[in-house]
């Protein structure tokens, strides 16, 4: 058995696979890549606890029929990486040859300058074949049966996944912090100390499911591929996606968050500021210290951090917030304010000795919620100016 693959194509295929393997819960020794024979050539397959995916190698040439086999992905990726950033040559093809329980890997290296013919060489490597695991083999070969595929707007998917990944914690943290939950009308993430919701523009397929951050990252990658992305809810709690010949079964879970009370929050007390300028001042304050005070004054939002203080013009106010001082961590605040529009609405709902703050803009595409300690303070004196 011999498989010859374009180095460029194999390298690009690993871009998909590394997105799937980018999960701290998976040890390097468990990261295997499967070579799967097809009528048209070869597909690469990967199985993880969250994702099963297959990527076609359109230009692969097979000299003899072979059975599906696997080798360690980080080991193969390590070989490919030794051929990056070369000065005189470039890798053009990779040849795999099964020899018992080992796989011989030859990498053809050709000169950039045609006159340097003597630089054409072949690098020889050997990797052990991964012992066959019947369950994993069955998973990597599974097919989608009786599913009704729906088109997914890749622009909406890219925007949603990119925005929500910025709010999510790594999957190793556990709980809801590394999960994106898809409801009928909204998509929600719940990082530490905050909640962010976006309007669900992804369609019925992305409803009543939750996805691990690794899956969200992979969906972001799929949205960048040219061609139609199609998806369907498959059996056994998974989302089946296909895009440009790439197939994926993405594990889904049920939604667990009750967010309706957040949507129905009070808007009796609030203020409006220019988001861009407000965030500039917050970044400035965060360079002084991690936590700052935000005080609503007459026409001015006063921001104070240590020896620094600066006012932000209030475009509008409502309710009873005058001289209320809120203590906020800068990193949390900067994370929950999304850069969709420059008119930022902030609502404050008193809960015991604290305040529940809600942020949104004029697009209505998102809103966020955080908790803050708050108290009424004295009027600003001349010494504070």
């Amino acid at each position: 058995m011999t498989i010859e693959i374009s180095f460029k194509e194999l390298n690009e295929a690993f871009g998909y696979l590394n997105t799937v393997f980018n999960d701290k819960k998976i040890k390097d020794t468990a990261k295997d890549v499967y070579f799967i024979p097809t009528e048209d050539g070869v597909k690469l397959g990967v199985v993880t606890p969250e994702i099963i995916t297959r990527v076609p190698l359109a230009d692969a040439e097979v000299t003899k029929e072979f059975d599906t086999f696997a080798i360690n992905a980080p080991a193969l990726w390590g070989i490919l990486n030794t051929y990056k950033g070369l000065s005189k040559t470039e890798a053009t093809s990779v040849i795999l040859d099964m020899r018992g329980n080992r796989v011989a890997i030859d990498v053809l290296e050709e000169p950039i300058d045609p006159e340097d013919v003597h630089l054409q060489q072949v690098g020889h490597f050997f990797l052990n074949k991964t012992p066959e695991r019947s369950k994993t083999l069955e998973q990597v070969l599974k097919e989608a049966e009786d599913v009704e595929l729906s088109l997914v707007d890749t622009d909406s998917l890219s925007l949603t996944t990119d925005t929500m990944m910025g709010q999510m914690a790594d999957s190793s943290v556990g709980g809801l912090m590394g999960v994106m939950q898809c409801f009928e009308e909204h998509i929600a993430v719940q990082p530490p100390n905050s909640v962010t919701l976006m309007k669900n523009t992804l369609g019925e397929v992305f409803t009543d499911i939750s996805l691990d951050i690794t899956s969200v990252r992979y969906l972001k990658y799929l949205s960048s591929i040219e061609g139609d992305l199609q998806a369907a809810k498959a059996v056994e709690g998974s989302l089946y996606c296909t895009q440009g010949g790439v197939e994926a079964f993405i594990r889904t879970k049920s939604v667990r968050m009750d967010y309706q009370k957040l949507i129905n929050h009070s808007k009796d007390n609030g203020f409006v500021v220019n988001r861009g300028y407000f965030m500039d001042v917050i970044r400035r304050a965060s360079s002084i210290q991690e936590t700052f005070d935000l005080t609503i004054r007459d026409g001015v939002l006063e921001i104070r951090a240590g020896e620094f203080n600066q006012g932000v013009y209030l475009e509008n106010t409502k309710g009873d917030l005058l001289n209320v001082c809120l203590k906020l961590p800068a990193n949390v605040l900067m994370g929950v304010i999304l850069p969709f529009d420059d008119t930022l609405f902030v609502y404050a709902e008193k809960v015991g000795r604290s305040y529940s703050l809600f942020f949104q803009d004029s697009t209505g595409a998102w809103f966020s919620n955080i908790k803050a300690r708050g108290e009424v303070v004295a009027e600003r004196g001349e010494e504070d100016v």
Side-chain angles (χ1 to χ4, degrees):
M1 173 225 76
T2 301
I3 306 172
E4 184 170 354
I5 309 164
S6 155
F7 181 90
K8 180 181 178 182
E9 185 178 34
L10 183 59
N11 198 56
E12 289 176 349
F14 259 90
Y16 298 97
L17 307 184
N18 285 333
T19 304
V20 176
F21 283 139
N22 189 11
D23 187 339
K24 291 182 179 179
K25 293 183 294 186
I26 308 173
K27 296 180 179 179
D28 280 354
T29 53
K31 297 177 180 178
D32 295 326
V33 55
Y34 285 79
F35 288 78
I36 306 167
T38 67
E39 292 183 0
D40 301 322
V42 180
K43 285 187 177 183
L44 298 184
V46 162
V47 176
T48 74
E50 301 298 332
I51 301 170
I52 300 168
T53 188
R54 293 187 292 268
V55 181
L57 297 173
D59 297 329
E61 295 183 6
V62 181
T63 58
K64 185 179 178 182
E65 291 185 3
F66 68 96
D67 294 326
T68 299
F69 69 93
I71 55 180
N72 181 255
L76 179 55
W77 182 240
I79 291 172
L80 300 182
N81 274 336
T82 65
Y83 287 89
K84 292 183 179 179
L86 303 178
S87 59
K88 295 290 185 179
T89 60
E90 60 181 355
T92 56
S93 62
V94 180
I95 299 172
L96 290 83
D97 187 11
M98 186 72 71
R99 298 182 185 177
N101 289 326
R102 305 187 78 196
V103 180
I105 301 170
D106 292 346
V107 182
L108 177 60
E109 190 176 2
E110 298 190 14
I112 297 172
D113 186 341
E115 294 185 1
D116 294 333
V117 180
H118 61 284
L119 296 180
Q120 180 173 319
Q121 298 290 335
V122 177
H124 306 284
F125 303 84
F126 284 91
L127 292 178
N128 291 326
K129 188 175 72 169
T130 301
E132 186 175 304
R133 302 180 181 95
S134 58
K135 183 178 180 181
T136 307
L137 183 61
E138 180 182 337
Q139 289 176 313
V140 80
L141 296 176
K142 73 182 290 188
E143 297 289 340
E145 298 179 359
D146 301 324
V147 295
E148 294 185 12
L149 292 167
S150 301
L151 279 174
V152 179
D153 186 322
T154 52
D155 289 338
S156 293
L157 182 61
S158 178
L159 177 63
T160 300
T161 52
D162 192 45
T163 301
M164 290 313 203
M165 280 194 303
Q167 308 289 310
M168 298 170 74
D170 188 87
S171 58
S172 60
V173 175
L176 295 179
M177 293 183 287
V179 174
M180 184 176 84
Q181 303 192 69
C182 304
F183 301 89
E184 183 176 354
E185 295 183 356
H186 291 86
I187 292 177
V189 294
Q190 193 171 354
N193 306 312
S194 65
V195 178
T196 298
L197 292 96
M198 289 182 66
K199 279 199 171 177
N200 189 344
T201 59
L202 303 181
E204 189 276 332
V205 172
F206 288 87
T207 58
D208 298 322
I209 60 172
S210 63
L211 298 161
D212 180 272
I213 188 171
T214 304
S215 303
V216 176
R217 191 182 293 120
Y218 192 60
L219 285 169
K220 166 67 177 175
Y221 201 93
L222 286 179
S223 71
S224 68
I225 306 172
E226 290 187 9
D228 293 334
L229 171 62
Q230 296 180 292
K233 289 180 180 176
V235 295
E236 300 173 354
S238 65
L239 188 69
Y240 175 70
C241 299
T242 177
Q243 169 79 313
V246 178
E247 296 178 280
F249 292 89
I250 300 173
R251 182 186 178 195
T252 62
K253 301 175 185 176
S254 59
V255 291
R256 291 180 284 166
M257 176 182 166
D258 180 10
Y259 71 97
Q260 288 297 331
K261 60 183 179 182
L262 297 177
I263 293 178
N264 299 324
H265 68 84
S266 170
K267 294 185 178 180
D268 293 340
N269 301 298
F271 56 87
V272 182
V273 292
N274 178 279
R275 181 200 58 82
Y277 184 70
F278 176 64
M279 294 302 291
D280 288 342
V281 179
I282 295 302
R283 279 189 284 269
R284 193 170 300 135
S286 69
S287 69
I288 307 299
Q289 62 184 41
E290 294 181 358
T291 302
F292 64 92
D293 291 347
L294 186 155
T295 307
I296 299 94
R297 301 295 190 182
D298 188 8
V300 176
L301 186 64
E302 181 184 274
I303 297 171
R304 184 183 294 272
E307 298 300 317
F308 165 80
N309 75 85
Q310 185 170 341
V312 174
Y313 172 70
L314 287 172
E315 297 181 2
N316 202 356
T317 59
K318 66 182 297 189
D320 186 19
L321 290 175
L322 187 63
N323 297 320
V324 170
C325 176
L326 303 167
K327 296 185 181 297
L328 293 162
N331 63 328
V332 175
L333 182 63
M334 289 190 292
V336 298
I337 297 177
L338 305 185
F340 285 24
D341 184 77
D342 256 355
T343 302
L344 179 67
F345 299 90
V346 184
Y347 299 99
E349 187 175 323
K350 200 169 190 313
V351 182
R353 296 183 178 181
S354 300
Y355 284 82
S356 189
L357 303 180
F358 299 87
F359 303 87
Q360 62 186 84
D361 62 25
S362 57
T363 67
W366 65 277
F367 77 88
S368 299
N369 169 248
I370 61 175
K371 301 292 190 297
R373 289 181 294 138
E375 60 180 349
V376 177
V377 296
E379 295 275 357
R380 181 171 57 175
E382 291 185 3
E383 69 277 5
D384 298 317
V385 179

